[in-house]
Amino acid sequence: MFSTRLAIATISLLVACPAAVVRADNQSDYVEIVGQAVLVLNRRDGPITTFIAPADADPDLVAALKTAGKVEPRSAVPKSDTYTLPNGYFIVEEVNHDLGVGEVIGVAGPGALEGTMGNESDCGTHYSISFSLVDSKWQNGSYKIEKCVPASVIEASASKLKDTALSGDAEAQFRLGLDYKYGDDGVAKNEVLALTWIRRAAEQGIAEAQVTLAFALAEGHGIAKDDA
C-alpha cells in the first residue's frame, strides 16, 4: 500500500493586470495559452507529449493542442499495473479565455491505480494555470498544483533529479533549486540550498534561473542582499 502525499502550492510567476482587449481569433488565443501552459507543465512534470482532450472539446482547442503534442482519447492511454496515467500525459479538463482572463485546468501523470492511495487515488498532479491578456499577448500569471502521488514514486523522482543535477545538467539544477525553494517533490524546503542550485543553473545560462537569482539577490532571500 502506497502512502499518500498531498501538497498544494500557489506560485506567482508574473504580476500583470488583464488588458481590456478581446481578440477575435479564437484558435490563436488557444495556441498562445496552450503554449504558455506547456512551459509550466514541462518544467514541473515534463516533457508533456500527449494530451487527452474532452470528447466535446472546442475544435479550435484541439487544433491548438496538436501544435504542442499528440491529442488522443482516454481509451488510448497505455495500460499499466502501476498507473492509470503515465508520465508525459496531460488530461485536459478545461481551457477557457474571456475578457482578458484565461485558465488551463487538468491533470498530469503519473496517477496511481485506484485503491493504492485511499480516498485520493488517481489524482496525479492537478493543475490550475491562470493567464492574463497583456498588450494583446497571453501571459502566464500564476499556477496552483495539487499533488497526490505515492511516496515511493516521489522519493525515486527526487533521487533521480539530484543525480541529474549533480551531473551538471542545468535544467535539473534549476528544477532542484525550485524544489528546495518551495519544499516540493519530496525535498525539504531549504532557501540556502535552493539558491545554490539556482545559481549553478543561472551560471549555465538558464534565463529563468537568472531572473530568480536576481530577485533573491535584490531582496536578500536565502542569500546576502546585493543590489549590484
Side-chain angles (χ1 to χ4, degrees):
M1 176 73 73
F2 288 120
S3 61
T4 303
R5 174 180 181 267
L6 178 64
I8 299 178
T10 303
I11 305 174
S12 292
L13 299 178
L14 176 68
V15 178
C17 297
V21 177
V22 180
R23 302 190 314 187
D25 190 344
N26 191 49
Q27 185 170 325
S28 177
D29 285 328
Y30 276 136
V31 168
E32 284 188 27
I33 290 173
V34 167
Q36 292 284 340
V38 168
L39 292 178
V40 174
L41 294 170
N42 283 352
R43 185 167 66 246
R44 299 199 57 87
D45 285 288
I48 300 298
T49 60
T50 307
F51 298 93
I52 307 300
D56 60 349
D58 185 322
D60 286 334
L61 170 59
V62 174
L65 292 172
K66 287 181 178 179
T67 67
K70 295 187 294 184
V71 179
E72 295 183 347
R74 186 63 187 262
S75 60
V77 175
K79 303 300 181 183
S80 167
D81 294 333
T82 308
Y83 300 115
T84 56
L85 188 65
N87 282 314
Y89 280 73
F90 185 74
I91 297 177
V92 180
E93 296 179 347
E94 184 178 350
V95 178
N96 59 68
H97 58 83
D98 186 36
L99 299 177
V101 177
E103 187 174 33
V104 172
I105 300 174
V107 180
L113 288 174
E114 186 175 357
T116 61
M117 299 171 62
N119 294 329
E120 294 169 338
S121 63
D122 193 27
C123 72
T125 304
H126 189 272
Y127 281 85
S128 176
I129 309 172
S130 66
F131 299 86
S132 296
L133 189 61
V134 181
D135 296 330
S136 298
K137 293 289 185 181
W138 285 102
Q139 298 185 20
N140 175 220
S142 66
Y143 64 90
K144 179 183 290 185
I145 62 171
E146 180 177 324
K147 304 191 74 169
C148 191
V149 184
S152 59
V153 173
I154 294 173
E155 291 165 4
S157 176
S159 177
K160 183 177 180 180
L161 181 62
K162 287 180 181 178
D163 289 343
T164 306
L166 285 168
S167 75
D169 184 283
E171 290 286 355
Q173 290 172 347
F174 180 49
R175 184 169 173 181
L176 181 59
L178 291 180
D179 282 349
Y180 276 119
K181 182 175 177 64
Y182 297 108
D184 283 343
D185 299 327
V187 175
K189 186 174 181 178
N190 186 316
E191 285 279 4
V192 175
L193 284 176
L195 269 297
T196 297
W197 287 108
I198 289 171
R199 180 187 286 276
R200 291 185 185 184
E203 290 172 347
Q204 293 200 69
I206 302 299
E208 288 179 290
Q210 293 168 347
V211 172
T212 304
L213 178 62
F215 274 111
L217 287 167
E219 298 168 359
H221 289 170
I223 196 170
K225 185 173 181 179
D226 186 344
D227 288 335

